[in-house]
Amino acid sequence: MLSASDLAGRLAQDAEAVCRHYLSAGRRAGNYWLVGDVANNKGRSLYVHLAGPRAGRWTDAATGQFGDLLDLVRETCGLLDFRDVAEEARHFLSLPQPEPVSDLRGDVGDASPVERPATERARRLFRMTHPLAGTLADIYLRERGILRASAHGALRFHPSCYYRDFLTGRTSSYPALIAAVTDDAGVITGVHRTYLSLDPDGVGKAKVDDPRRALGGLLGNGVRFRFPVNASMPVLAAGEGLETMLSLSHVMPGMPMVAALTANHLAAFNVPPGCRRLYIAADADAAGRHGVEGLSRRAQECGILPLVLSPELGDFNEDLRWLGPDQMTASLRLQLTPEDAVTFLP
């Protein structure tokens, strides 16, 4: 029976055929296959090496995801169990299947894995989660000063979420904070996972190379807090990270907010109709500035007033943790319009 690295190597020998099958919305450009993302949307963010020593390796510049073609099969087919990934790869390569063992997959009556898109895989994962209150994920956020996270329906907990190391191929599982990514109508299009572990000093992110991973359709969407569905929102705030926007929501619980999860996705966020003022939470780095500038331009083109909220430290979670909610509130009061300061601040 072929190992994970052997299967990945066999797939890499015909990388273009793999891409044409699983990423049919893309196209070849020189020695690369270009496509929008692992959900097979059109675009150029994700690129796959087709030749040379890195044949089969891929990276999504927008999300930071990367891996080999075995990872690509897993992502595009919506598979959670490595055995299913290996079975799909063998099927593509027309290799003999191993002797069947007891079925551990469950979900009798589900569509076959190859038919399940990334969005449905994300919804399936979210259905497997638990309420946040009192869980390890709730403790993780509380240790970061975010005390009311369990009030947000977009946040859930998974006690044993599948994780595969893209470099070694090893599979494991960790408890995880799961956040639902939704569109304007409140429909789940993806999920964001923060893998967790118990550190000697408290609950922290798992000691893995990439403890944060996204799955499904992020482009234009985000993790929404206090977002009434199909209701007019003349004022809202948008930013990158979960902790950043949850920190802002902690001191402004009445303001609708969204976490776009990356700077590129922040720049591409679809502002809902009816918005008149858009507060954009800035992060103090180059990528953060790119996201703020991109979304500001798009807001202005739609006749929306963009207003940048700047933290005193590196980000708003640092402000909340190290300066405290009172000083953070005082700083925000100077950055909001007088009308919004009265409406949203204590």
Side-chain angles (χ1 to χ4, degrees):
M1 184 165 153
L2 293 177
S3 67
S5 58
D6 292 333
L7 281 172
R10 292 288 295 271
L11 291 170
Q13 290 174 14
D14 203 355
E16 183 172 349
V18 176
C19 292
R20 290 189 179 280
H21 181 77
Y22 293 101
L23 297 175
S24 56
R27 63 182 180 83
R28 179 163 186 157
N31 286 327
Y32 298 91
W33 188 266
L34 304 179
V35 71
D37 51 35
V38 291
N40 197 26
N41 293 307
K42 292 184 178 180
R44 299 169 56 88
S45 173
L46 188 151
Y47 57 93
V48 185
H49 295 264
L50 299 179
R54 292 186 57 78
R57 307 299 298 185
W58 60 273
T59 300
D60 189 331
T63 66
Q65 290 175 284
F66 62 93
D68 58 28
L69 290 179
L70 205 58
D71 300 309
L72 193 66
V73 170
R74 173 175 57 83
E75 294 289 340
T76 56
C77 292
L79 304 174
L80 298 175
D81 191 311
F82 176 71
R83 189 174 64 179
D84 293 336
V85 181
E87 181 181 334
E88 172 64 23
R90 291 190 193 97
H91 178 75
F92 177 83
L93 294 166
S94 299
L95 294 175
Q97 299 296 315
E99 290 298 316
V101 294
S102 59
D103 190 358
L104 302 178
R105 285 174 289 182
D107 293 328
V108 176
D110 273 3
S112 64
V114 74
E115 294 173 348
R116 186 183 300 126
T119 295
E120 175 52 33
R121 186 168 105 228
R123 292 170 183 162
R124 178 171 176 255
L125 176 59
F126 197 74
R127 290 195 297 268
M128 297 165 63
T129 59
H130 303 280
L132 187 71
T135 65
L136 199 65
D138 193 14
I139 297 171
Y140 165 79
L141 293 172
R142 285 178 174 273
E143 291 188 353
R144 280 147 186 79
I146 301 164
L147 306 181
R148 296 185 289 271
S150 60
H152 300 294
L155 302 178
R156 303 274 290 183
F157 174 68
H158 195 300
S160 183
C161 193
Y162 172 88
Y163 179 88
R164 179 167 185 259
D165 189 300
F166 288 145
L167 296 179
T168 66
R170 295 192 185 96
T171 60
S172 54
S173 61
Y174 296 90
L177 168 64
I178 308 294
V181 178
T182 57
D183 60 16
D184 281 347
V187 176
I188 294 177
T189 62
V191 293
H192 182 269
R193 296 154 290 180
T194 303
Y195 293 95
L196 304 173
S197 70
L198 277 171
D199 292 332
D201 298 326
V203 180
K205 290 189 283 293
K207 304 299 185 185
V208 294
D209 287 339
D210 47 351
R212 300 179 189 271
R213 287 185 178 175
L215 167 67
L218 274 66
L219 192 65
N221 304 315
V223 182
R224 299 166 196 259
F225 309 117
R226 308 295 187 192
F227 241 81
V229 177
N230 297 325
S232 177
M233 284 168 287
V235 180
L236 64 102
E240 286 184 53
L242 284 177
E243 286 92 341
T244 289
M245 301 314 295
L246 284 169
S247 298
L248 283 171
S249 184
H250 181 81
V251 297
M252 295 190 293
M255 182 180 289
M257 299 193 181
V258 62
L261 302 175
T262 73
N264 284 337
H265 286 100
L266 177 62
F269 175 66
N270 292 327
V271 183
C275 178
R276 298 197 310 267
R277 286 187 301 281
L278 174 66
Y279 290 100
I280 307 175
D283 282 349
D285 55 32
R289 289 191 293 274
H290 162 76
V292 170
E293 292 167 0
L295 183 55
S296 295
R297 284 194 300 270
R298 295 182 60 246
Q300 289 173 330
E301 291 169 359
C302 297
I304 301 168
L305 175 63
L307 299 166
V308 177
L309 298 178
S310 299
E312 294 190 52
L313 301 177
D315 58 47
F316 283 107
N317 188 239
E318 290 187 9
D319 283 9
L320 180 63
R321 295 168 66 189
W322 304 115
L323 303 180
D326 290 343
Q327 186 168 334
M328 185 173 168
T329 298
S331 175
L332 289 170
R333 194 179 302 279
L334 299 175
Q335 301 183 60
L336 299 182
T337 67
E339 176 187 354
D340 293 336
V342 170
T343 302
F344 297 111
L345 288 175

